[in-house]
Amino acid sequence: AVSHGVGLRMQNSSLSLVRRAGGSDAVVKSLGSFAAGDVLRLDFNGDLHTATRNGDFVGEWNDTGGTASRGSGFRSLLMRMNGHKAISGQRRFSPAIDYVEYG
């Protein structure tokens, strides 16, 4: 029941920053691509969310409107992974997560 937050979206080798507000997700910044073995990091300082890939800056988003709530009532980590195989298409997969550091 995580209703607000900011995170990384990995889909079809594309990386993006996603804002979750009111239970709905929206891509706010495209960050290029990712590959197997990449180390992704998302940091925030106030409303500024900064993403790195393998230690290199890939993009940031400033939530100037404060749309992604934060504070003592919003301290959960959400991880959602989806995978499927289309009837006559390619097998789709979610990236594997080796570890998560939070806090």
Side-chain angles (χ1 to χ4, degrees):
V2 177
S3 61
H4 292 77
V6 176
L8 294 173
R9 178 179 182 177
M10 297 169 277
Q11 183 176 9
N12 299 331
S13 299
S14 295
L15 180 64
S16 53
L17 272 170
V18 180
R19 173 194 53 129
R20 184 169 184 85
S24 297
D25 297 337
V27 173
V28 294
K29 181 84 174 186
S30 178
L31 302 174
S33 63
F34 72 95
D38 282 350
V39 175
L40 306 170
R41 182 178 178 112
L42 177 62
D43 291 308
F44 68 94
N45 184 3
D47 288 325
L48 184 63
H49 299 80
T50 304
T52 59
R53 180 181 49 245
N54 302 320
D56 296 324
F57 174 84
V58 291
E60 63 187 14
W61 174 64
N62 195 345
D63 184 14
T64 54
T67 60
S69 301
R70 63 179 193 277
S72 62
F74 299 93
R75 297 177 55 146
S76 297
L77 172 67
L78 170 68
M79 187 169 16
R80 185 176 77 194
M81 300 175 80
N82 300 325
H84 74 279
K85 180 177 181 350
I87 293 174
S88 61
Q90 297 178 350
R91 182 177 299 265
R92 304 286 183 193
F93 68 95
S94 291
I97 305 293
D98 291 328
Y99 68 91
V100 174
E101 183 179 328
Y102 180 74

